[in-house]
Amino acid sequence: MPNDVTPQIPEQQVLAEQLFEQQFKLSAEVICHAPGRVNLIGDHTDYNDGFVLPAAINYGTTIAASVRVDNLVKVYAHDCEQQINEFSLNDISFDEEMMWSNYVKGTLQALIKRHPEVKGANLVVIGNVPQGAGLSSSASFEIAILKAFTELYQLDLDGVNAALLGQQAENDFVGCNCGIMDQLISAMGQKGHAMLLDCKDLSFEDAPIPDDLTLFIVNSNVRRGLVASAYNLRREQCEAVAKYFEVSALREVTIAQLNAAKEQLEPVLFKRARHVISENARAVATLKALKNNDMATISMAMKESHISLRDDFEVTTKEMDGLVDMIDSVLGTDGGVRMTGGGFGGCVVALVPTAMVEQVKAVVNSRYEKEFGLAPSIYLCIATQGAFR
Ligand code: GLA
């Protein structure tokens, strides 16, 4: 996709409908869309029962679908080299070759445990969330599948339960021990708003994003490697500290308790926990600042978040750090910038006053490739509605 073109969801829907007719020689019964997301602040907190502040974005996955009378699922994946995958709901197994199909399989395996009445379907999938960039292409895929089956079979499934099924697919089938943030915001995001989600009890609060702010996302285009294993290791480290304190999750540990135990903890575990505990406080403070339109506080929280993810959690790359520094040099306290998502490559997110967008674009376009040898991709986003909202 060309730099900074805002994709039109209705166009994706028309294409899905047309492709469905070509592939299956019949009309689709439902067309569903689930968005990707950008996390404004609160990374690596969700699986610690903590706080996150994501927004659903206008990049996502669209599915055209029809029911089948048998138990077969036939999927045409337009953006995965136009591959076709076919399997039976009675015999779901991991596919080492067509990796994308595991998201369909894992999601449906989780769904039929809860809704055994579900039968097969014909599906056409189109997505434009950049893959492996930290914008939740996989969660948007899972939630789009769940929304399609919910409509096809009139299931009694709400957004929170759909998110839990999507997470189950990742944890139990795909092999990534992710938290709940990505699936929940894809299902329950609110147009024009970010969502403060409490990952302990799954309660959430929507906070309007001021009209004069643009969600400015830059993909560092660093290829991410071994992400699942590095991610799972971070989670194990957090759990080890929770175990040390004999609590269910790091959410229950205060910074004072952590500091008091510094000498007893391995230095790396201490740093991981310090990130999580401080990041929770920053996410909550950012929600308040967003409501008060207090950009200086947001700016500081995002800056500290990035530093903490870089130095304590160690999930940034030099390219992401470079992007953050160059954008920060333009924004100062008029906006905020940090890495977003799981890390190890992928995107940075900036909250940019719309009047400064051109200036920020100019600095990224003139410096990033020169300094890091990779062309950046810029996405100017708006906060959109989740699939189940
Ligand atoms: C990935 C995971 C989420 C969350 C983020 C980091 O996106 O899927 O559950 O842990 O990383 O905040």
Side-chain angles (χ1 to χ4, degrees):
M1 172 164 318
N3 229 3
D4 75 30
V5 168
T6 299
Q8 296 300 312
I9 291 167
E11 283 171 18
Q12 216 182 44
Q13 291 177 346
V14 171
L15 182 60
E17 214 165 352
Q18 284 168 355
L19 289 171
F20 192 92
E21 280 180 20
Q22 277 169 27
Q23 287 299 318
F24 296 108
K25 313 286 174 239
L26 47 106
S27 300
E29 287 162 41
V30 302
I31 314 268
C32 299
H33 179 85
R37 66 100 186 91
V38 68
N39 190 21
L40 301 183
I41 197 160
D43 271 316
H44 291 277
T45 47
D46 61 352
Y47 54 80
N48 291 297
D49 276 0
F51 293 96
V52 293
L53 189 66
I57 55 174
N58 50 319
Y59 285 76
T61 306
T62 296
I63 293 188
S66 70
V67 293
R68 294 180 60 90
V69 288
D70 55 23
N71 277 340
L72 289 183
V73 177
K74 290 191 180 181
V75 199
Y76 167 79
H78 188 60
D79 306 293
C80 296
E81 296 165 10
Q82 311 189 342
Q83 288 174 338
I84 295 177
N85 191 273
E86 188 176 321
F87 64 94
S88 164
L89 290 174
N90 304 332
D91 179 22
I92 298 182
S93 58
F94 193 85
D95 189 331
E96 297 285 349
E97 258 132 57
M98 254 185 235
M99 286 306 279
W100 64 265
S101 71
N102 293 317
Y103 292 98
V104 190
K105 291 175 175 162
T107 302
L108 292 178
Q109 186 172 69
L111 181 69
I112 53 180
K113 270 190 212 146
R114 188 188 149 106
H115 289 282
E117 72 272 27
V118 159
K119 288 191 155 312
N122 300 314
L123 307 169
V124 161
V125 184
I126 306 183
N128 63 359
V129 185
Q131 289 174 22
L135 300 177
S136 296
S137 56
S138 52
S140 91
F141 192 6
E142 291 147 16
I143 295 299
I145 292 164
L146 290 163
K147 180 67 180 173
F149 275 78
T150 298
E151 291 206 357
L152 287 176
Y153 288 103
Q154 304 286 306
L155 303 178
D156 177 18
L157 180 67
D158 64 17
V160 173
N161 281 304
L164 288 165
L165 292 179
Q167 184 194 18
Q168 210 174 303
E170 295 266 359
N171 293 177
D172 301 347
F173 200 84
V174 178
C176 177
N177 288 329
C178 67
I180 192 69
M181 164 170 70
D182 306 346
Q183 290 79 9
L184 210 131
I185 185 70
S186 179
M188 295 303 286
Q190 170 80 295
K191 196 174 175 195
H193 291 67
M195 167 196 278
L196 184 84
L197 168 64
D198 180 340
C199 299
K200 186 175 175 182
D201 63 7
L202 303 188
S203 60
F204 53 84
E205 179 180 347
D206 299 319
I209 298 175
D211 286 346
D212 58 345
L213 283 183
T214 296
L215 296 176
F216 191 107
I217 299 169
V218 188
N219 192 345
S220 65
N221 287 322
V222 173
R223 267 182 73 101
R224 307 196 304 173
L226 296 175
V227 179
S229 58
Y231 180 95
N232 291 349
L233 173 63
R234 294 298 183 286
R235 183 168 182 159
E236 282 162 27
Q237 291 169 329
C238 293
E239 286 168 356
V241 182
K243 195 167 168 212
Y244 170 85
F245 283 102
E246 298 180 346
V247 292
S248 54
L250 273 183
R251 162 75 172 274
E252 315 303 336
V253 181
T254 64
I255 200 78
Q257 285 171 319
L258 181 71
N259 285 335
K262 187 169 182 184
E263 301 310 319
Q264 282 75 57
L265 288 169
E266 260 180 65
V268 67
L269 295 187
F270 175 78
K271 289 204 296 182
R272 301 295 189 253
R274 182 166 62 186
H275 164 69
V276 172
I277 297 170
S278 61
E279 185 80 347
N280 276 333
R282 286 187 289 269
V284 173
T286 303
L287 173 82
K288 193 167 163 219
L290 202 56
K291 284 181 178 165
N292 297 333
N293 217 342
D294 170 5
M295 189 42 94
T297 301
I298 296 175
S299 181
M300 185 52 74
M302 290 177 80
K303 183 178 278 208
E304 285 172 358
S305 168
H306 185 83
I307 292 170
S308 178
L309 286 155
R310 184 189 69 196
D311 299 345
D312 277 356
F313 221 66
E314 296 177 285
V315 292
T316 70
T317 63
K318 63 180 189 315
E319 293 84 358
M320 301 169 98
D321 298 340
L323 276 171
V324 165
D325 285 346
M326 62 187 80
I327 295 173
D328 181 58
S329 72
V330 179
L331 285 177
T333 53
D334 293 334
V337 57
R338 59 185 284 282
M339 65 146 268
T340 186
F344 311 105
C347 290
V348 306
V349 61
L351 278 174
V352 177
T354 304
M356 294 179 80
V357 163
E358 290 307 318
Q359 239 178 304
V360 178
K361 249 200 245 173
V363 81
V364 170
N365 285 329
S366 68
R367 285 182 51 189
Y368 182 65
E369 187 162 8
K370 213 181 281 168
E371 291 175 28
F372 294 98
L374 287 163
S377 307
I378 297 177
Y379 315 106
L380 301 182
C381 289
I382 52 170
T384 57
Q385 197 86 0
F388 283 79
R389 195 79 185 246

